[in-house]
Amino acid sequence: MRRGIALFAAFVLLLILGLFSLRSGAVTVPFSDLWSSLLGHDTPSSYIVLQYRLPRVLTAILAGSGLAAAGVILQSLIRNPLASPDVIGITKGAGFTAAAVIFLFPGSPSYVLPLAAFGGAIAAMLLLLLLSKRMTLSPASFALVGVALGAVFQAGIQYLLVKHPSNINMTLLWMSGSLWGRGWEIALSLLPWIVVLLPVAWLQYRRLDVLQLGDEGGTALGISLRPARIGLLLLAVALTGSSVAAVGSIGFIGLISPHIARLIAGGRHQWMVPLSALIGADLLLLGDWLGRLIIIPREVPVGIMTAVIGAPYFIYLLRRERKRRA
Amino acid sequence: MPNTIRTEKQKLYPFLLFLFTFILMLVSMISNLKWGQAHISWRVLYEALTYQGDSKEHLYIQTLRLPRTLTAFVVGAQLAVAGLLTQLITRNPLASPHIFGINAGASLAVVSGLVFFAGLSFIQSIFLAFIGAALGALLVWALAGTEQKQYVRLALAGIAVHFLLSSLTEGLIILNQHATDSMMFWLVGSVSNAAWGEFGAIWPFTVFGLLATICLLPSFKLLLLDDSVAAGLGSRIHITRLMGVLLVIVLSGSAVAICGPIAFLCLIVPHIAGSLIGRKLPLLVPYTALLGGCLLIAADFISKFIAFPFESPVGIITAAVGGPFFIYLARKQRRGR
């Protein structure tokens, strides 16, 4: 019951934040105009609402839930509360190929960038699988291999940045993650991925529960570990890759949403997956909304906002967890 | 008879190793002085180093390449020793100031200093870097705790803090678009801008840090033991550790303030040094310093040429070499939890 309420509350929060995001920005749209624009009537602000803010809000919701779900999967897979798509290097892989496209093929059409980012995420995962001896390593070593891989990709990004100083701001913006100028084509290209992958992730909740128990427990309960791990990793990469392709490498969503969800709903993935997806979407919307309001008319990239909101909370959570265990 | 030969050999081996590394360092130093964007002949090089003649080429050597090479040596030595100390304190072979958010904290402090107070002097930015480095270390400690043998927990906490601090740094840079280029260069870690001013600001910290490390060696030796054993031997383990952390902050903070967070050097050099010369601290510490300086000069030399005639920051080289090495180390750590 309590979990149901939490889920409902997160959903209501999502609606409220969505409405506020639609309303405010460099131009504030009054609620009455907002309603009639959303219902399809022609108002002075309907262009802003329908063409700029609505796809942006939609992208934020989709990407936030995708990153958060990927975080849940990875934390169960690696059995470590500090795991997340950024930590194991997948986002950096996506960032590297995206930066390569921005710098080496500056004239390429806009749909190439997300495709390249997705390819980078896949490449990072393949490397990770190869280096971790096809997932036979212990989860901990696996995470460390991911960390190092991320650092190597980071070096690649930095090389490109330094060699082509003219595009630095665009790349930095992309690397820290931003929802600026995300239109319908991006929202619609992200939509099918998330709509298909989120339910798939939810259906894996039993496996996620069991994997968290540890290798022995999993084997005893009759799960063949390696195929399960590879399948789940693939799922997490697809979720991360498609989200990062749309919004850039936004950090901390994948790290803290699962923690908040676990705090509210306990460790059972049946509830954790949907709840943390909703919380991820909430956080991303909140970050974007605040980032637009702080220094109008300029924007703080949402990736920075999520780091500023997320990090202190994350530290608080970890300290709490440590105290409870001690 | 064979026994005595072996002991002779054992005594000779470290000496030869030092000599060899020293020669390597001289070679890379000289090549760093000789080759670069401007063509310099051997004759001019000799004249410049002995301060005869004052043509343009002489000035290149005296005011650009010489301080740069010396700074590279000093910074490399500092970072390597800082890495060794971190690994000793945490008893974690995967530890380094870079992975532990210390470098990221220092760079955040320096960048915010540059953004908010224009015209910082070197000394001021070094002290800012100390504050930032301490902040980074504190955060990681708060996240990971001080339990023993929490290798992975510590590493993951460090990387999480690293991401947080560096995303804040990126945010500051995005919001202040002027001077992005040079800041980017610094942020990756580069010695290419080092002149006599930079060298003059940093060498006292090197001398202080290395001397303090050597003076504290007897206490650090106890860190190699188990906590309870060390306490049983009457060592105040917490104080030793605190001193170690302060030294790491001084060493890597001042290095970051001058040259930016140079990645992975601090991680790999102690390992290479350890496998070459053994784990005896009185030999290991000076050798690590020498090797670190030597490798950073060599990396700086390579970095001049990967995108010739443009300079690339040396941090790219160290990350590209150090990352795979870290993967190798992580794969060796099979049993860690």
Side-chain angles (χ1 to χ4, degrees), chain A residues 6-245:
Chain A
L7 218 54
F8 183 70
F11 185 69
V12 171
L13 189 63
L14 189 68
L15 289 182
I16 295 173
L17 283 171
L19 270 184
F20 274 104
S21 293
L22 286 176
R23 179 171 174 271
S24 44
V27 177
T28 306
V29 180
F31 275 118
S32 55
D33 275 17
L34 192 63
W35 274 128
S36 37
S37 328
L38 283 179
L39 292 174
H41 303 298
D42 207 23
T43 59
S45 45
S46 46
Y47 189 78
I48 297 180
V49 171
L50 292 181
Q51 295 303 316
Y52 284 107
R53 295 202 182 148
L54 195 57
R56 184 171 178 160
V57 166
L58 197 62
T59 313
I61 293 173
L62 291 171
S65 53
L67 287 171
V72 173
I73 295 174
L74 287 174
Q75 294 190 354
S76 156
L77 199 65
I78 303 180
R79 253 182 273 139
N80 193 308
L82 291 165
S84 75
D86 340 301
V87 170
I88 66 164
I90 296 179
T91 21
K92 289 282 184 237
F96 175 64
T97 42
V101 166
I102 292 177
F103 288 127
L104 303 180
F105 311 100
S108 48
S110 62
Y111 60 84
V112 176
L113 193 60
L115 276 182
F118 196 76
I122 296 280
M125 186 203 70
L126 288 179
L127 269 176
L128 199 60
L129 281 179
L130 201 69
L131 288 170
S132 61
K133 305 180 184 160
R134 298 207 197 85
M135 301 297 286
T136 52
L137 279 186
S138 74
S141 310
F142 174 74
L144 290 178
V145 170
V147 167
L149 201 62
V152 175
F153 277 122
Q154 177 78 14
I157 295 175
Q158 288 169 334
Y159 175 69
L160 288 169
L161 278 180
V162 170
K163 202 153 178 232
H164 305 262
S166 54
N167 267 342
I168 275 186
N169 273 318
M170 181 168 173
T171 317
L172 276 180
L173 201 64
W174 200 90
M175 268 164 50
S176 58
S178 163
L179 285 163
W180 179 79
R182 299 297 187 269
W184 277 111
E185 78 261 43
I186 288 180
L188 289 181
S189 64
L190 180 59
L191 187 69
W193 286 97
I194 302 294
V195 166
V196 172
L197 291 176
L198 267 189
V200 174
W202 182 72
L203 286 176
Q204 303 289 323
Y205 65 86
R206 288 215 177 84
R207 277 191 180 166
L208 290 171
D209 281 344
V210 171
L211 276 180
Q212 221 169 15
L213 294 177
D215 284 1
E216 293 86 2
T219 319
L221 287 169
I223 280 193
S224 43
L225 289 172
R226 265 187 55 199
R229 278 196 194 150
I230 292 180
L232 286 172
L233 182 64
L234 206 62
L235 196 60
V237 169
L239 281 166
T240 314
S242 49
S243 310
V244 170

Side-chain angles (χ1 to χ4, degrees), chain A residues 80 87 131 133 138 140-141 144 147-148 151 155 158-159 161-162 165 168 252 298 304 307-308 311 315 318-319 322, chain B residues 94 139 142-143 145 152-153 156 159 164 167-168 171 175 180-181 184-185 188 264 313 316 319 326-327 331 333-334:
Chain A
N80 193 308
V87 170
L131 288 170
K133 305 180 184 160
S138 74
S141 310
L144 290 178
V147 167
Q158 288 169 334
Y159 175 69
L161 278 180
V162 170
I168 275 186
F252 280 92
R298 290 171 74 189
I304 312 272
V308 171
I315 289 167
L318 276 187
R319 287 217 44 101
R322 251 183 62 211
Chain B
L94 299 169
L139 270 178
L143 275 179
V152 173
R153 194 184 170 84
L156 285 183
I159 211 77
L164 163 70
S167 79
L168 291 180
L175 292 178
T180 311
D181 284 13
M184 238 359 257
F185 227 78
V188 185
F264 282 110
I316 291 173
F326 185 80
I327 293 179
R331 283 172 58 146
Q333 292 277 311
R334 289 265 190 91

Side-chain angles (χ1 to χ4, degrees), chain A residues 67 84 86 92 172 175-178 248-257 260 280 282-291 294 300-316, chain B residues 108 139 143 159-172 174-175:
Chain A
L67 287 171
S84 75
D86 340 301
K92 289 282 184 237
L172 276 180
M175 268 164 50
S176 58
S178 163
S249 51
I250 291 180
F252 280 92
I253 298 273
L255 195 61
I256 51 171
S257 324
I260 304 179
D282 284 343
L283 280 176
L284 199 54
L285 266 182
L286 180 69
D288 183 45
W289 182 54
L290 290 178
I294 287 180
V300 181
V302 62
I304 312 272
M305 289 312 295
T306 53
V308 171
I309 302 170
Y313 188 68
F314 181 62
I315 289 167
Y316 160 74
Chain B
L108 176 63
L139 270 178
L143 275 179
I159 211 77
V161 170
H162 177 86
F163 279 132
L164 163 70
L165 296 175
S166 50
S167 79
L168 291 180
T169 314
E170 269 170 25
L172 276 177
I174 291 176
L175 292 178

